PDB file of all heavy atoms in Angstrom:
ATOM      1  N   LYS A  20     -82.842  26.180 -72.196  1.00 77.00           N
ATOM      2  CA  LYS A  20     -81.822  25.753 -73.244  1.00 77.00           C
ATOM      3  C   LYS A  20     -80.431  25.991 -72.705  1.00 77.00           C
ATOM      4  O   LYS A  20     -79.530  25.160 -72.892  1.00 77.00           O
ATOM      5  CB  LYS A  20     -82.006  26.441 -74.509  1.00 77.00           C
ATOM      6  CG  LYS A  20     -83.169  26.001 -75.354  1.00 77.00           C
ATOM      7  CD  LYS A  20     -83.342  26.787 -76.699  1.00 77.00           C
ATOM      8  CE  LYS A  20     -84.476  26.453 -77.419  1.00 77.00           C
ATOM      9  NZ  LYS A  20     -84.558  27.247 -78.659  1.00 77.00           N
ATOM     10  N   LEU A  25     -75.345  23.907 -70.291  1.00 77.00           N
ATOM     11  CA  LEU A  25     -74.415  23.783 -69.268  1.00 77.00           C
ATOM     12  C   LEU A  25     -74.371  22.529 -68.570  1.00 77.00           C
ATOM     13  O   LEU A  25     -73.182  21.979 -68.296  1.00 77.00           O
ATOM     14  CB  LEU A  25     -74.715  24.932 -68.248  1.00 77.00           C
ATOM     15  CG  LEU A  25     -74.418  26.340 -68.653  1.00 77.00           C
ATOM     16  CD1 LEU A  25     -74.919  27.346 -67.624  1.00 77.00           C
ATOM     17  CD2 LEU A  25     -72.995  26.564 -68.996  1.00 77.00           C
ATOM     18  N   LEU A  39     -57.677  24.911 -65.403  1.00 87.00           N
ATOM     19  CA  LEU A  39     -57.818  26.375 -65.001  1.00 87.00           C
ATOM     20  C   LEU A  39     -57.563  26.575 -63.452  1.00 87.00           C
ATOM     21  O   LEU A  39     -56.778  27.395 -63.189  1.00 87.00           O
ATOM     22  CB  LEU A  39     -59.284  26.766 -65.196  1.00 87.00           C
ATOM     23  CG  LEU A  39     -59.679  27.170 -66.623  1.00 87.00           C
ATOM     24  CD1 LEU A  39     -61.122  27.472 -66.736  1.00 87.00           C
ATOM     25  CD2 LEU A  39     -58.982  28.448 -66.998  1.00 87.00           C
ATOM     26  N   LEU A  40     -58.008  25.620 -62.702  1.00 91.00           N
ATOM     27  CA  LEU A  40     -57.672  25.661 -61.195  1.00 91.00           C
ATOM     28  C   LEU A  40     -56.113  25.526 -61.003  1.00 91.00           C
ATOM     29  O   LEU A  40     -55.572  26.173 -60.203  1.00 91.00           O
ATOM     30  CB  LEU A  40     -58.348  24.669 -60.446  1.00 91.00           C
ATOM     31  CG  LEU A  40     -59.945  25.033 -60.219  1.00 91.00           C
ATOM     32  CD1 LEU A  40     -60.679  23.819 -59.569  1.00 91.00           C
ATOM     33  CD2 LEU A  40     -60.064  26.335 -59.451  1.00 91.00           C
ATOM     34  N   LEU A  43     -54.346  28.659 -61.940  1.00 94.00           N
ATOM     35  CA  LEU A  43     -54.578  29.708 -60.986  1.00 94.00           C
ATOM     36  C   LEU A  43     -53.795  29.496 -59.784  1.00 94.00           C
ATOM     37  O   LEU A  43     -53.292  30.379 -59.154  1.00 94.00           O
ATOM     38  CB  LEU A  43     -56.013  29.792 -60.778  1.00 94.00           C
ATOM     39  CG  LEU A  43     -56.603  30.934 -59.915  1.00 94.00           C
ATOM     40  CD1 LEU A  43     -56.380  32.190 -60.658  1.00 94.00           C
ATOM     41  CD2 LEU A  43     -58.016  30.641 -59.641  1.00 94.00           C
ATOM     42  N   MET A  51     -47.194  35.005 -54.752  1.00 93.00           N
ATOM     43  CA  MET A  51     -46.811  35.155 -53.298  1.00 93.00           C
ATOM     44  C   MET A  51     -45.265  35.189 -53.188  1.00 93.00           C
ATOM     45  O   MET A  51     -44.704  35.843 -52.302  1.00 93.00           O
ATOM     46  CB  MET A  51     -47.434  33.959 -52.568  1.00 93.00           C
ATOM     47  CG  MET A  51     -48.814  33.968 -52.325  1.00 93.00           C
ATOM     48  SD  MET A  51     -49.604  32.563 -51.478  1.00 93.00           S
ATOM     49  CE  MET A  51     -48.468  32.256 -50.170  1.00 93.00           C
ATOM     50  N   GLN A  68     -56.444  43.080 -51.282  1.00 84.00           N
ATOM     51  CA  GLN A  68     -55.837  42.798 -52.504  1.00 84.00           C
ATOM     52  C   GLN A  68     -54.246  42.969 -52.345  1.00 84.00           C
ATOM     53  O   GLN A  68     -53.682  44.103 -52.453  1.00 84.00           O
ATOM     54  CB  GLN A  68     -56.278  43.771 -53.622  1.00 84.00           C
ATOM     55  CG  GLN A  68     -55.883  43.332 -54.886  1.00 84.00           C
ATOM     56  CD  GLN A  68     -56.691  43.934 -55.983  1.00 84.00           C
ATOM     57  OE1 GLN A  68     -57.839  44.275 -55.718  1.00 84.00           O
ATOM     58  NE2 GLN A  68     -56.267  43.840 -57.248  1.00 84.00           N
ATOM     59  N   LEU A  77     -54.912  34.730 -54.239  1.00 94.00           N
ATOM     60  CA  LEU A  77     -55.902  34.072 -55.035  1.00 94.00           C
ATOM     61  C   LEU A  77     -56.967  35.043 -55.597  1.00 94.00           C
ATOM     62  O   LEU A  77     -57.321  35.169 -56.693  1.00 94.00           O
ATOM     63  CB  LEU A  77     -56.529  32.791 -54.367  1.00 94.00           C
ATOM     64  CG  LEU A  77     -57.502  31.935 -55.203  1.00 94.00           C
ATOM     65  CD1 LEU A  77     -56.804  31.303 -56.315  1.00 94.00           C
ATOM     66  CD2 LEU A  77     -58.201  31.034 -54.224  1.00 94.00           C
ATOM     67  N   SER A  79     -56.804  38.241 -55.601  1.00 91.00           N
ATOM     68  CA  SER A  79     -56.130  39.320 -56.333  1.00 91.00           C
ATOM     69  C   SER A  79     -56.055  38.818 -57.766  1.00 91.00           C
ATOM     70  O   SER A  79     -56.300  39.598 -58.802  1.00 91.00           O
ATOM     71  CB  SER A  79     -54.823  39.709 -55.844  1.00 91.00           C
ATOM     72  OG  SER A  79     -54.892  40.256 -54.564  1.00 91.00           O
ATOM     73  N   MET A  86     -60.454  41.572 -65.038  1.00 86.00           N
ATOM     74  CA  MET A  86     -60.231  42.869 -65.476  1.00 86.00           C
ATOM     75  C   MET A  86     -60.649  44.028 -64.576  1.00 86.00           C
ATOM     76  O   MET A  86     -61.208  45.046 -65.053  1.00 86.00           O
ATOM     77  CB  MET A  86     -60.801  43.089 -66.995  1.00 86.00           C
ATOM     78  CG  MET A  86     -60.190  42.336 -68.007  1.00 86.00           C
ATOM     79  SD  MET A  86     -58.366  42.781 -68.092  1.00 86.00           S
ATOM     80  CE  MET A  86     -57.687  41.358 -68.691  1.00 86.00           C
ATOM     81  N   ASP A  95     -48.634  48.768 -59.637  1.00 86.00           N
ATOM     82  CA  ASP A  95     -48.370  48.702 -58.189  1.00 86.00           C
ATOM     83  C   ASP A  95     -47.305  47.745 -57.924  1.00 86.00           C
ATOM     84  O   ASP A  95     -46.379  47.861 -57.051  1.00 86.00           O
ATOM     85  CB  ASP A  95     -49.593  48.457 -57.290  1.00 86.00           C
ATOM     86  CG  ASP A  95     -50.383  49.676 -57.334  1.00 86.00           C
ATOM     87  OD1 ASP A  95     -50.083  50.762 -57.640  1.00 86.00           O
ATOM     88  OD2 ASP A  95     -51.512  49.559 -56.606  1.00 86.00           O
ATOM     89  N   GLN A  98     -43.819  49.046 -58.984  1.00 86.00           N
ATOM     90  CA  GLN A  98     -43.361  50.414 -58.326  1.00 86.00           C
ATOM     91  C   GLN A  98     -41.940  50.298 -57.715  1.00 86.00           C
ATOM     92  O   GLN A  98     -41.737  49.425 -56.972  1.00 86.00           O
ATOM     93  CB  GLN A  98     -44.440  50.760 -57.319  1.00 86.00           C
ATOM     94  CG  GLN A  98     -44.141  52.149 -56.669  1.00 86.00           C
ATOM     95  CD  GLN A  98     -44.533  53.226 -57.592  1.00 86.00           C
ATOM     96  OE1 GLN A  98     -45.531  53.180 -58.237  1.00 86.00           O
ATOM     97  NE2 GLN A  98     -43.746  54.304 -57.664  1.00 86.00           N
ATOM     98  N   THR A  99     -41.179  51.168 -58.118  1.00 85.00           N
ATOM     99  CA  THR A  99     -39.812  51.227 -57.537  1.00 85.00           C
ATOM    100  C   THR A  99     -39.641  52.561 -56.898  1.00 85.00           C
ATOM    101  O   THR A  99     -40.550  53.422 -56.796  1.00 85.00           O
ATOM    102  CB  THR A  99     -38.724  51.084 -58.682  1.00 85.00           C
ATOM    103  OG1 THR A  99     -39.010  52.120 -59.649  1.00 85.00           O
ATOM    104  CG2 THR A  99     -38.770  49.754 -59.374  1.00 85.00           C
ATOM    105  N   ILE A 109     -36.086  44.107 -50.860  1.00 88.00           N
ATOM    106  CA  ILE A 109     -36.140  43.083 -49.832  1.00 88.00           C
ATOM    107  C   ILE A 109     -35.976  41.697 -50.663  1.00 88.00           C
ATOM    108  O   ILE A 109     -36.654  41.332 -51.441  1.00 88.00           O
ATOM    109  CB  ILE A 109     -37.501  43.067 -49.142  1.00 88.00           C
ATOM    110  CG1 ILE A 109     -37.608  44.442 -48.338  1.00 88.00           C
ATOM    111  CG2 ILE A 109     -37.646  41.917 -48.134  1.00 88.00           C
ATOM    112  CD1 ILE A 109     -38.903  44.593 -47.679  1.00 88.00           C
ATOM    113  N   SER A 111     -34.664  38.939 -48.642  1.00 85.00           N
ATOM    114  CA  SER A 111     -34.646  37.738 -47.563  1.00 85.00           C
ATOM    115  C   SER A 111     -35.594  38.113 -46.474  1.00 85.00           C
ATOM    116  O   SER A 111     -36.000  39.294 -46.402  1.00 85.00           O
ATOM    117  CB  SER A 111     -33.282  37.485 -47.162  1.00 85.00           C
ATOM    118  OG  SER A 111     -32.814  38.659 -46.344  1.00 85.00           O
ATOM    119  N   TYR A 140     -54.201  32.339 -68.925  1.00 87.00           N
ATOM    120  CA  TYR A 140     -55.446  32.111 -68.138  1.00 87.00           C
ATOM    121  C   TYR A 140     -56.650  32.777 -68.836  1.00 87.00           C
ATOM    122  O   TYR A 140     -57.586  32.198 -69.213  1.00 87.00           O
ATOM    123  CB  TYR A 140     -55.292  32.616 -66.736  1.00 87.00           C
ATOM    124  CG  TYR A 140     -56.381  32.150 -65.804  1.00 87.00           C
ATOM    125  CD1 TYR A 140     -56.484  30.869 -65.329  1.00 87.00           C
ATOM    126  CD2 TYR A 140     -57.365  33.030 -65.571  1.00 87.00           C
ATOM    127  CE1 TYR A 140     -57.534  30.498 -64.544  1.00 87.00           C
ATOM    128  CE2 TYR A 140     -58.491  32.636 -64.782  1.00 87.00           C
ATOM    129  CZ  TYR A 140     -58.525  31.334 -64.144  1.00 87.00           C
ATOM    130  OH  TYR A 140     -59.553  31.025 -63.459  1.00 87.00           O
ATOM    131  N   ALA A 150     -66.001  28.862 -75.654  1.00 85.00           N
ATOM    132  CA  ALA A 150     -66.284  28.237 -76.867  1.00 85.00           C
ATOM    133  C   ALA A 150     -66.922  26.963 -76.603  1.00 85.00           C
ATOM    134  O   ALA A 150     -67.952  26.548 -77.457  1.00 85.00           O
ATOM    135  CB  ALA A 150     -64.997  28.131 -77.600  1.00 85.00           C
ATOM    136  N   THR A 161     -80.123  22.859 -81.678  1.00 83.00           N
ATOM    137  CA  THR A 161     -80.407  22.163 -82.878  1.00 83.00           C
ATOM    138  C   THR A 161     -81.182  20.907 -82.606  1.00 83.00           C
ATOM    139  O   THR A 161     -82.024  20.537 -83.351  1.00 83.00           O
ATOM    140  CB  THR A 161     -79.129  21.855 -83.759  1.00 83.00           C
ATOM    141  OG1 THR A 161     -78.182  21.186 -82.890  1.00 83.00           O
ATOM    142  CG2 THR A 161     -78.450  23.127 -84.303  1.00 83.00           C
TER     143      THR A 161
END
Side-chain angles (χ1 to χ4, degrees):
K20 285 180 186 178
L25 287 175
L39 280 170
L40 285 174
L43 189 61
M51 286 172 47
Q68 192 160 341
L77 181 66
S79 296
M86 293 295 151
D95 281 0
Q98 184 75 41
T99 56
I109 297 178
S111 65
Y140 189 82
T161 54

